[in-house]
Amino acid sequence: MKIQDITVEYQHNPIGLDTAAPRFAWKLADDSQNIYQKAYHIQVSKDDEFRELAWDSRKVDSDESIQIVYNGETLTSFTEYFWRVKVWDQEETETDWSDIGRFEMAMMSWKDWEADWITPEYDYKAPKTACPILRKEFQIGKRVTKARIYVTAKGLYELWLNGKKVGRDFLTPGWTSYNKRTLYQVYDVTDMLKEGGNAIGATIGSGWYKGELGWRSRRNLYGGREALIMELHMTYEDGAVEKILSDGTWQSSYRGPVICSEIYHGETYDAQKEILFDTYGCGFEDWFHVRVMGAAAKDILHAQECPPVREKLVLRPVELLRSPNGQQILDMGQNMAGHVRFRVKGKAGERVVLRHGEILDSEGNFYSENLKGARQRVEYILKDEQEAVFEPHFTYQGFRYVLIEEYPGEIKKEDFEGIVLYSDISQTGKFHCSDENLQQLTQNILWGQRGNFVDIPTDCPQRCERLGWTGDIQIFCDTAALQMETPLFLRKWLHDVAAEQFPSGGVPWVVPDIYDDTYAYDLVGYTGQSEKVAAAWGDCATVVPWNLYQAFGDKRILEEQFDSMKKYVEFIRKQGPCEYTWEGQHQLGDWVALDAPYGSFVGATDVDYVASAYFAKSTEILYKTAEVIGRDKEYKIYRELHHNILKAFQEKYVDEDGELTVKTQTALVLAANFGLVSEELASNYMKKLAEWLKETNYDLITGFVGTPYICHALTKYGQVETAYKLLFKKEYPSWMYQVTKGATTVWEHLDGIRPDGTLWNPRMNSFNHYAYGSIAEWIYRDITGLKICEEVPGYKKFQICPRLGKELDSAEFAYESMYGKIVSGWKRTEDKIEYHITVPVNTTAELRLVGSELLECQVPYQKIKDEYVLETGSGDYWFTMRE
């Protein structure tokens, strides 16, 4: 047995942690079967020879290999630590020590900050939209052996040192509830310094901090001045430490090349105004002073909590089009979020002007009406006749097509690249199947997650919105966790959910919260309570943490978020008219369901029904969370509350004959999937739904609330064939309809492009909106069968229970769990089914395989109805069954 892939807080050798008790994890590899860990031994040291130990766990009898909490001496700011682990298997065979890992602490208290917030002096001769530059020159007289930068900004920043960009990150410091929580980043710049003169500087864009946000394009939501705080710590070979701090000695200028840069609208860059601000003795003379912002808070500063946004993929245009109206348009072949990097050569003052859009109209011309005012325009002004390569700095676009409005010389598609930006989280799930349309659908869903995981979970990446809609991620978080390693990304966002929670306990529609009443009225004709809270949206406060715990065994996220979860449930409890239902409030309901009344976005399902259903769901999660983290008193209180909610729900919404009083598909789905009624009634409801769908030719008409659960509920109660038919329907309305129309991401509306080629209302018609992509969870969990064992989270124990349909000949899902790769695959060969299952070391699986006869098996099994049930430990397994 070998130890591999050791991590601290989900990261490999991180620098810049401010977690007092970080957690360790490792994976185990062994070609034998049924291997598990019996004990482990961790050492943490201040030196890589492990002479100065900070923690020695000694041998611990435990099979845990993830989420192992540090339990040594107090970790100190700016200190680098080394760690290693060894384990014993069930036969007491001891491994070698693992490779040595590292982690480095940032500032363990905000009081460690010595630098000041600084802001540039305003230049009335510069463009009002210009992005300022701040810089400082300094001397180094000795060899530097270690150097770290701690930096953040009010606005988005790019930091440069001696002619090179610091780090590989984009859109730093990301988006948080800035006035409550601002994240700083830590960079290793040891190799970027030199003896003699050095120069450091930053350009700051408006970004989310003071740029335009929302449909009404309001500015300065968090403040009106860009600012920077930075510390450069240099350790010399003699052990001495010197610090360069942001303070009143810095210089500033608004006369740099970034004339304007906005998240929604793009960027204008004049290369003729470039300044070598990151070069010692740059020669520019019109520098202004800076102001020290003495009152600016430092106690809101926290070390980076999630992976930064980075360049993740590079796409080449598949075609250079000439549209019917004579426009030249690049087709990237994929709807994406990011920007275009291009090469250009021309004369000084000539321009490149690009506009970005998701689709072409029915005639094949560039289309941008659905952007709702987001210009998505990039302009570059050439400096001289030398060839230049450019990409924007403080903006990103959602697009597939690029309209080239201006470009000097011949346009060649080879001179353009699509730079795909999203948070630097790894892909964990890969799906393959025999059906091209289903394969494309799962790729569309993955691309939707990429495009909407740009530092926060957004609704869309293109129009004047791109907000952290809480309902979208609430329904998508299970799918998200199966496709990518989401815990750090969503944990950071959940901290903002708690920070933005209203005093009443309600959770805003969007996090970070930018809404006001006029904005909300524009959306849904909203009037009423000043706090904008909606069922299925606010429930992100309970659903998302519980999902992270289930998927990654992350108990800490439950501990951190428990008070927020409790406040939210108590908020609902006070909404009345009785404490066991949620009624009478403005709700968003089954959003964009096709059964909505004409002119409404809200589906036909009674909004109070939806609200009370989610009240039950969140309360159930809350009492289970209390049990997990040892809050016995709350466990009893909220388990009883859940019981009373179910009783009140059944009294209000279930007739004496067992029929629901709310006659919609979503109502049936929620009752069955949330356990709101007896198993017998739930089974009857799904039979009724199956008949309903058959009568309507399997039309998909549910909205954001019903769609994530519809196939789960059908499958749970024996209607697998109906679930398959619903998924594989190609005609509108369906999931596959979008694929047949050439979609490369999931649409906001099932009829974003109608069968006759007309488009849905441009007021709200995104073509990159992952909510309907939540069907992927059913694809991975039921078609290929990978299910979590709730009692043993993190895939320490799991179930493989594939549900086969005649529409497929094969399907396989490979998932990189915290313990290692899990594989569940099957394929048909004549009248047989071949299953391939991989179970990681230190885990166990229950296999439930469908077939009439198990032909080959070396594992003990039972036959229960039409399933063969097997319990197995680690290893690769192949089974052949007669269908």
Side-chain angles (χ1 to χ4, degrees), residues 20-40:
R23 295 161 297 171
F24 304 95
W26 55 90
K27 296 176 182 176
L28 300 171
D30 194 303
D31 293 334
S32 303
Q33 292 183 345
N34 299 306
I35 303 297
Y36 62 88
Q37 172 190 299
K38 186 177 180 181
Y40 68 81

Side-chain angles (χ1 to χ4, degrees), residues 11 17 35 316 404 424 512 520 576 655 677:
Q11 302 167 72
L17 297 179
I35 303 297
R316 268 75 182 184
I404 304 174
D424 191 20
D655 285 336
V677 295

Side-chain angles (χ1 to χ4, degrees), residues 144-215:
V144 175
T145 58
K146 177 182 175 182
R148 300 288 188 267
I149 283 177
Y150 307 84
V151 59
T152 191
K154 297 178 185 294
L156 301 179
Y157 74 87
E158 280 189 356
L159 190 67
W160 293 73
L161 176 60
N162 292 331
K164 296 180 179 179
K165 181 181 174 180
V166 175
R168 299 182 292 117
D169 307 343
F170 287 84
L171 306 176
T172 47
W175 191 6
T176 54
S177 306
Y178 290 124
N179 295 333
K180 301 170 184 175
R181 291 173 9 89
T182 298
L183 304 183
Y184 65 87
Q185 291 69 50
V186 182
Y187 297 103
D188 180 353
V189 294
T190 308
D191 295 335
M192 299 180 72
L193 296 169
K194 60 184 180 180
E195 292 190 31
N198 291 258
I200 191 168
T203 304
I204 304 178
S206 297
W208 297 285
Y209 183 81
K210 65 183 291 287
E212 292 189 11
L213 282 179
W215 292 350

Side-chain angles (χ1 to χ4, degrees), residues 138-142 232-236 239-244:
F138 58 97
Q139 292 280 340
I140 294 178
K142 297 180 286 186
L232 167 59
H233 294 197
M234 298 178 291
T235 302
Y236 295 110
V241 176
E242 183 180 1
K243 299 177 183 179
I244 304 296

Side-chain angles (χ1 to χ4, degrees), residues 5-17 23-25 80-84 98-105 148 186 188:
D5 200 15
I6 65 172
T7 57
V8 182
E9 288 298 317
Y10 300 95
Q11 302 167 72
H12 297 98
N13 301 325
I15 65 171
L17 297 179
R23 295 161 297 171
F24 304 95
E80 183 178 27
Y81 294 89
F82 303 85
W83 78 284
R84 61 186 181 181
S98 67
D99 292 337
I100 296 173
R102 304 166 182 245
F103 63 96
E104 185 174 315
M105 309 313 293
R148 300 288 188 267
V186 182
D188 180 353

Side-chain angles (χ1 to χ4, degrees), residues 21 42 92 128 206 213 251 293 296 341 344 371 425 442 453 504 558 573 577 608 613 626 666 679 731 809 815 843:
I42 297 175
E92 288 290 343
K128 292 183 179 181
S206 297
L213 282 179
Q251 300 170 309
M293 304 173 72
R341 182 165 59 210
V344 63
L371 301 182
I425 51 182
T442 58
F453 268 35
S504 65
L558 297 182
R573 196 174 186 177
D608 289 344
T666 290
E679 290 289 292
E731 298 78 17
D809 293 324
Y815 175 71
T843 69

